Amino acid sequence: MEEISNDDIKKIIDKQKKLAIAHKKYYHEKLKDNPEYQAKARERSRQWYIKNNKKKKEKYEKNKEVTNAKQLFIYHNNKGQSNKFIEKYPEKYEMLINKGFVKD
């Protein structure tokens, strides 16, 4: 396999940046205010929601305890009472350490 030089990598990156800028400009100048595009986008969103609604619920149920523990920790930490959280909810604190959210 052929190695790619640094100059080639820079050219590829620059090309991608220019392409992204062109797409963004095209969207904001042509598509954004187009009623047909808006209708298609809304229909795509509606179909995506119908298709993935159950996945969101499953993900929420799966991560419910971790999310709750994070919110409690952030609440206590913002008030400067992280020690109170550790004393009151040691199992939730351990869960956050295991998940890597809190460093011991």
Side-chain angles (χ1 to χ4, degrees):
M1 190 166 145
E2 190 177 320
E3 289 190 29
I4 300 174
S5 68
N6 286 339
D7 292 335
D8 290 339
I9 293 172
K10 286 180 184 177
K11 286 179 186 176
I12 293 169
I13 291 173
D14 288 340
K15 190 175 181 180
Q16 285 299 109
K17 285 181 182 179
K18 288 178 184 176
L19 190 62
I21 290 169
H23 282 296
K24 189 178 247 186
K25 183 178 177 183
Y26 180 76
Y27 171 77
H28 284 287
E29 291 178 0
K30 304 279 183 183
L31 294 178
K32 185 177 176 184
D33 298 325
N34 185 344
E36 289 179 20
Y37 176 78
Q38 289 175 347
K40 287 180 184 178
R42 285 189 183 116
E43 185 58 31
R44 260 194 324 271
S45 297
R46 205 173 287 115
Q47 293 303 321
W48 185 90
Y49 178 79
I50 291 168
K51 183 179 176 184
N52 295 301
N53 190 18
K54 292 179 182 173
K55 288 181 186 176
K56 279 284 192 189
K57 287 180 184 177
E58 289 171 3
K59 183 179 177 185
Y60 173 76
E61 289 297 327
K62 182 179 174 185
N63 297 322
K64 191 183 212 180
E65 292 180 17
V66 176
T67 304
N68 184 290
K70 283 181 184 179
Q71 289 173 343
L72 277 172
F73 180 77
I74 291 170
Y75 172 79
H76 283 87
N77 198 29
N78 287 343
K79 288 190 153 202
Q81 301 173 347
S82 56
N83 291 334
K84 189 175 180 182
F85 172 81
I86 295 168
E87 292 170 7
K88 197 169 182 181
Y89 307 105
E91 67 285 345
K92 290 185 180 187
Y93 184 68
E94 283 297 319
M95 182 190 327
L96 293 177
I97 289 174
N98 294 338
K99 293 287 184 179
F101 184 74
V102 177
K103 303 241 189 294
D104 198 19

